[in-house]
Amino acid sequence: MRHEVRVPISSDADLVPARAEGRALARELGFSQTDATLIATAISEIARNIVVHARSGELVMTGIQQPHRYGLVIVASDAGPGIPEIDTALERGHTSRRSLGLGLPGARRLMDEFEVETDAAKGTTVTMTKWRARDELERLRARRRERA
Amino acid sequence: MSVAILRQGDYLIASIQVDLSDSQVLELRDELSERIGRVRARGLIIDVAALDVIDSFVARSLGSIAITARLRGAETVITGIEPDVAIAMVQFDLDLAPLRTALDLDEALSLLDRLTQGAGEDEA
Ligand SMILES: Nc1ncnc2c1ncn2[C@@H]1O[C@H](COP(=O)(O)OP(=O)(O)OP(=O)(O)O)[C@@H](O)[C@H]1O
Ligand SMILES: [Mg+2]
């Protein structure tokens, strides 16, 4: 099983393999079809932001394993201009491009964890994680068994 | 070909065959707008099942195709939104209100029949 997938992003055409690779890795890691689609949708928004706002960058998608759970982490980085007011940019409807400002808040809702590191000198890195729902269920079941 | 566009009576049926890039989505919008005027279509069905996701860009583009089509005299129905894609759209909080959707081609055709009949009666 592959554990790390890199997708360079420099034009809107690169979103097509980025979505497909994200979906494929999610399925390999045992995510449901629905979760794989949520992940692919978040990837699409974040990769598009790289193309539109920073021109080029890279996605690194990695399967991670912790003692009780599996997850998929996506790190999207670019060396673009950074996001001046990150707190407002994360709110729905805030855009610098007369767009709708849906991308960042939408991607955040689709994932379990979402962090943005941004700096005018270094660019922007979005790190987002989704945990496999099955592990959460199994943990709940195990807890119930312990109590019974 | 990435999108097959067929004519059936007064309707155009655009079946997307593969996942599309943003530029291909915009080309499709322009192509459909031109074709609707040329064949004087009264209805447009877009089958989006082959799209990997419906994100903010695709949702917005489908909305603008529907608005353009209406300005050119045609109603639009979207079909082929898979259950997982619908769940993602809801969780994303995308506004679906401007889009008319149908479960399959048959339902899309009868919806268009009703919509375009209504328009005819209004004029009478
Ligand atoms: N990688 C990035 N580099 C620089 N600025 C960014 C980056 N990503 C987002 N931004 C900034 O954050 C704002 C909000 O991003 P968001 O994706 O929410 O909206 P948008 O891209 O403007 O519109 P939409 O995604 O709805 O088309 C953008 O307008 C842009 O100013
Ligand atoms: Mg965006």
Side-chain angles (χ1 to χ4, degrees):
Chain A
M1 185 164 78
R2 302 171 305 164
H3 281 284
E4 190 186 272
V5 179
R6 278 168 191 273
V7 185
I9 304 291
S10 60
S11 86
D12 72 281
D14 296 328
L15 272 57
V16 174
R19 292 190 285 254
E21 292 277 15
R23 179 185 292 280
L25 182 58
R27 295 296 274 159
E28 278 174 38
L29 293 168
F31 280 90
S32 68
Q33 169 81 4
T34 299
D35 277 347
T37 302
L38 301 185
I39 291 166
T41 309
I43 288 173
S44 191
E45 290 296 335
I46 297 309
R48 180 176 300 105
N49 276 354
I50 292 180
V51 176
V52 174
H53 305 295
R55 304 184 77 139
S56 67
E58 184 187 46
L59 296 185
V60 181
M61 314 186 223
T62 316
I64 51 168
Q65 188 179 357
Q66 289 186 350
H68 297 292
R69 57 182 183 177
Y70 285 91
L72 173 53
V73 188
I74 297 138
V75 180
S77 57
D78 64 65
I83 310 176
E85 286 177 54
I86 180 61
D87 291 339
T88 45
L90 281 168
E91 285 168 24
R92 193 181 161 87
H94 285 272
T95 175
S96 60
R97 285 291 181 109
R98 294 206 199 164
S99 191
L100 291 179
L102 299 179
L104 284 176
R108 186 192 209 174
R109 268 195 300 275
L110 294 172
M111 302 294 287
D112 294 326
E113 287 164 30
F114 193 89
E115 268 167 51
V116 185
E117 234 179 289
T118 184
D119 182 306
K122 293 193 202 123
T124 301
T125 300
V126 176
T127 304
M128 47 189 195
T129 306
K130 188 116 191 135
W131 298 106
R132 209 170 67 177
R134 192 195 297 165
D135 306 330
E136 305 291 334
L137 280 177
E138 271 157 23
R139 236 176 341 180
L140 284 174
R141 279 197 202 108
R143 215 176 297 159
R144 212 179 302 147
R145 270 198 303 271
E146 273 164 32
R147 262 186 270 142
Chain B
M1 198 172 42
S2 51
V3 184
I5 305 176
L6 307 172
R7 189 176 165 186
Q8 182 169 326
D10 283 342
Y11 303 152
L12 284 178
I13 304 173
S15 304
I16 299 173
Q17 309 284 312
V18 295
D19 192 26
L20 300 181
S21 71
D22 293 2
S23 348
Q24 287 173 314
V25 170
L26 296 179
E27 279 164 27
L28 176 63
R29 179 197 61 189
D30 297 347
E31 163 90 18
L32 288 175
S33 164
E34 189 267 330
R35 287 274 276 267
I36 286 166
R38 183 148 47 87
V39 307
R40 306 202 174 276
R42 300 185 62 208
L44 169 64
I45 295 171
I46 308 173
D47 181 350
V48 298
L51 293 183
D52 200 21
V53 303
I54 297 187
D55 61 14
S56 66
F57 179 84
V58 173
R60 202 174 307 159
S61 303
L62 292 174
S64 86
I65 289 174
I67 291 168
T68 313
R70 179 167 298 159
L71 291 172
R72 312 211 72 187
E75 293 297 327
T76 301
V77 176
I78 309 293
T79 182
I81 298 184
E82 305 289 340
D84 53 311
V85 171
I87 290 168
M89 293 174 78
V90 171
Q91 190 150 337
F92 195 107
D93 205 7
L94 285 176
D95 187 12
L96 290 173
L99 296 178
R100 264 198 207 92
T101 58
L103 281 180
D104 55 30
L105 189 60
D106 280 345
E107 197 187 284
L109 285 167
S110 52
L111 179 54
L112 274 186
D113 286 344
R114 279 200 305 273
L115 289 168
T116 53
Q117 232 169 37
E121 278 160 18
D122 282 350
E123 280 158 26

